[in-house]
């Protein structure tokens, strides 16, 4: 039963529960009208302590399309946070005003703390360089729909694997599906954290390799998951400038890839995917962003217990 629960970590729900959410998302995509009133009278609070376009708007769009309403902030300096209010106190109050919360925060673990003091479901919309479980739901639904499966694939993850929370969450989630191989493509400075290798990949016997050049592996991939170098998490500008253009996928590189490989990206992109790739049939990142809204509709409907 998903009603009343929070989503903080991609492993909070079982595979079967995820399946339930995907099934509902598919039904909503097929017949959105049927779901346009299910959340009437419900309110989503979006508490965004960090910048966002897609995630916040897709949450808000999702709630509005379910017939519910939205309140919240995306500029914490205009709230009592700037007076020193704690997360625990903020959420205690917001719990009285809303029925469900989506929270993004620069500090790892902040949404978890919020869920401990909340009377209503809390959804982690990204916590620092840690996790981003609703992006993972988006990524899984996109792969499942376009590739028709979540197992037996070679998945390349490329770019900022150190700070990229979407990559951390996706690897966690993929560890439950059979027979996937993960190829981690990054410069030395942006390699995946050790804990992900030890506690997720190795513990679950997932085949993986770490490489530096995308050209060396692109022909093996079924999915290429590109990421942006996470400027806001660098300690100095110099390192960022040196690393920001480590990988740029363009038509030339794409010509080496399989015909049915798909390119995903959580977005925003900066330089890592050339615009001339957008028209290639393998470019699925805009479609992915669309799935993001539908999967958030399904998630919130389940957590609020209205579907
Ligand atoms: C991602 C994030 O916030 O982690 N964006 C998103 O939610 N779609 C990726 C990023 O910012 O690079």
């Amino acid at each position: 039963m998903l009603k009343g629960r929070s989503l903080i970590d991609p492993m909070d729900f079982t595979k079967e529960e995820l399946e339930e959410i995907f099934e509902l998302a598919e039904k909503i995509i097929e017949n959105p009208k049927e779901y346009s009133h299910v959340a009437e009278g419900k309110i989503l609070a979006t508490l965004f302590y960090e910048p966002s376009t897609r995630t916040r708007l897709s949450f808000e769009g999702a709630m509005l399309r379910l017939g519910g309403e939205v309140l919240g902030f995306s500029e914490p300096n205009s709230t009592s946070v700037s007076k020193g209010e704690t997360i625990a106190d903020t959420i205690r109050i917001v719990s009285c005003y809303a029925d469900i919360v989506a929270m993004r925060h620069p500090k790892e673990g902040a949404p978890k703390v919020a869920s401990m003091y909340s009377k209503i479901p809390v959804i982690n919309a990204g916590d620092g360089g840690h996790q981003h479980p609703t992006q993972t739901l988006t990524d899984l639904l996109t792969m499942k729909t376009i590739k028709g499966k979540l197992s037996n694939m070679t998945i390349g993850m490329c770019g900022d694997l150190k700070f990229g929370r979407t990559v951390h969450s996706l690897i966690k989630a993929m560890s439950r599906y059979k027979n996937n191989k993960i190829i981690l493509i990054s410069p030395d400075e942006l390699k995946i954290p050790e804990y992900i290798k030890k506690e997720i990949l190795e513990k679950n016997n997932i085949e993986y390799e770490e490489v530096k050049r995308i050209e060396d592996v692109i022909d093996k991939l079924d999915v290429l998951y590109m990421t942006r170098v996470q400027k806001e998490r660098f300690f100095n500008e110099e390192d960022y400038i040196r690393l920001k253009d480590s990988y740029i996928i363009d038509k030339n590189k794409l010509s080496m890839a399989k015909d049915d490989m798909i390119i995903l990206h959580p977005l925003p992109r900066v330089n890592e995917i050339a615009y001339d790739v957008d028209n290639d049939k393998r470019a699925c990142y805009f479609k992915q962003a669309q799935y993001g809204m539908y999967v958030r509709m399904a998630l919130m409907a389940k957590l609020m217990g209205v579907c």
Side-chain angles (χ1 to χ4, degrees):
M1 185 76 152
L2 289 163
K3 185 178 174 189
R5 309 232 319 252
S6 288
L7 173 61
I8 305 299
D9 184 281
M11 303 302 258
D12 283 351
F13 300 160
T14 63
K15 260 168 87 173
E16 291 68 32
E17 286 166 339
L18 292 183
E19 204 47 50
E20 225 183 282
I21 294 169
F22 298 146
E23 261 171 40
L24 178 58
E26 281 156 12
K27 284 192 194 148
I28 296 174
I29 292 170
E30 268 167 41
N31 195 354
K33 269 222 171 93
E34 202 176 300
Y35 297 87
S36 61
H37 296 287
V38 293
E40 242 158 41
K42 302 279 186 198
I43 297 175
L44 161 72
T46 50
L47 312 185
F48 275 62
Y49 296 78
E50 219 188 32
S52 164
T53 314
R54 248 154 314 274
T55 306
R56 185 170 59 83
L57 295 184
S58 69
F59 266 111
E60 296 188 356
M63 191 57 164
L64 296 172
R65 280 172 189 266
L66 290 172
E69 297 188 65
V70 176
L71 51 80
F73 59 79
S74 54
E75 186 37 84
N77 292 334
S78 67
T79 71
S80 286
V81 173
S82 63
K83 300 181 188 166
E85 184 168 63
T86 62
I87 295 223
D89 282 1
T90 303
I91 202 76
R92 275 187 183 113
I93 303 307
V94 172
S95 300
C96 308
Y97 301 160
D99 300 283
I100 190 162
V101 169
M103 175 188 273
R104 169 169 288 192
H105 204 284
K107 282 218 183 83
E108 282 84 1
K112 169 95 195 153
V113 172
S115 72
M116 288 156 56
Y117 293 92
S118 179
K119 291 187 277 193
I120 57 177
V122 175
I123 302 172
N124 177 3
D127 61 329
H130 192 216
Q131 301 290 335
H132 193 345
T134 62
Q135 181 63 47
T136 301
L137 294 183
T138 304
D139 302 339
L140 296 181
L141 179 65
T142 308
M143 286 193 274
K144 190 173 178 294
T145 310
I146 303 179
K147 298 297 290 180
K149 57 184 177 181
L150 290 172
S151 44
N152 301 311
M153 293 192 287
T154 300
I155 302 166
M157 302 198 173
C158 178
D160 188 345
L161 309 185
K162 180 177 180 188
F163 297 114
R165 56 193 172 195
T166 63
V167 169
H168 303 165
S169 285
L170 185 56
I171 292 180
K172 247 183 162 177
M174 288 311 287
S175 71
R176 297 205 282 205
Y177 299 93
K178 293 221 159 41
N179 209 18
N180 288 310
K181 178 172 179 189
I182 308 239
I183 304 187
L184 301 162
I185 310 155
S186 75
D188 275 339
E189 294 91 331
L190 298 177
K191 274 169 117 171
I192 200 93
E194 275 306 302
Y195 85 89
I196 300 223
K197 282 199 269 181
K198 296 262 143 25
E199 285 164 37
I200 299 164
L201 293 167
E202 285 160 27
K203 219 180 205 166
N204 293 292
N205 284 323
I206 314 264
E207 196 184 336
Y208 76 94
E209 65 180 291
E210 292 184 282
V211 301
K212 286 196 194 117
R213 279 166 39 94
I214 197 165
E215 297 85 334
D216 295 344
V217 292
I218 195 165
D219 60 325
K220 299 187 193 137
L221 305 179
D222 300 303
V223 177
L224 171 60
Y225 194 92
M226 292 298 291
T227 63
R228 164 183 79 89
V229 175
Q230 305 279 300
K231 181 178 185 190
E232 64 277 32
R233 313 217 190 277
F234 275 70
F235 294 111
N236 68 69
E237 177 108 17
E238 242 169 69
D239 284 351
Y240 170 69
I241 290 170
R242 186 167 47 81
L243 293 167
K244 76 180 170 62
D245 292 330
S246 297
Y247 301 103
I248 299 177
I249 176 102
D250 54 17
K251 267 218 137 64
N252 211 3
K253 288 201 188 96
L254 203 51
S255 67
M256 297 182 252
K258 287 187 197 170
D259 202 43
D260 64 349
M261 182 190 83
I262 60 170
I263 309 170
L264 301 183
H265 191 310
L267 304 177
R269 81 170 134 185
V270 185
N271 264 337
E272 56 281 351
I273 302 179
Y275 294 126
D276 67 3
V277 171
D278 293 354
N279 294 325
D280 193 288
K281 72 173 173 46
R282 290 166 284 191
C284 296
Y285 30 92
F286 296 127
K287 194 115 217 187
Q288 182 186 1
Q290 235 176 324
Y291 284 125
M293 187 189 70
Y294 290 115
V295 90
R296 289 179 176 106
M297 285 173 81
L299 171 68
M300 289 193 288
K302 287 283 177 196
L303 301 184
M304 293 186 297
V306 297
C307 277

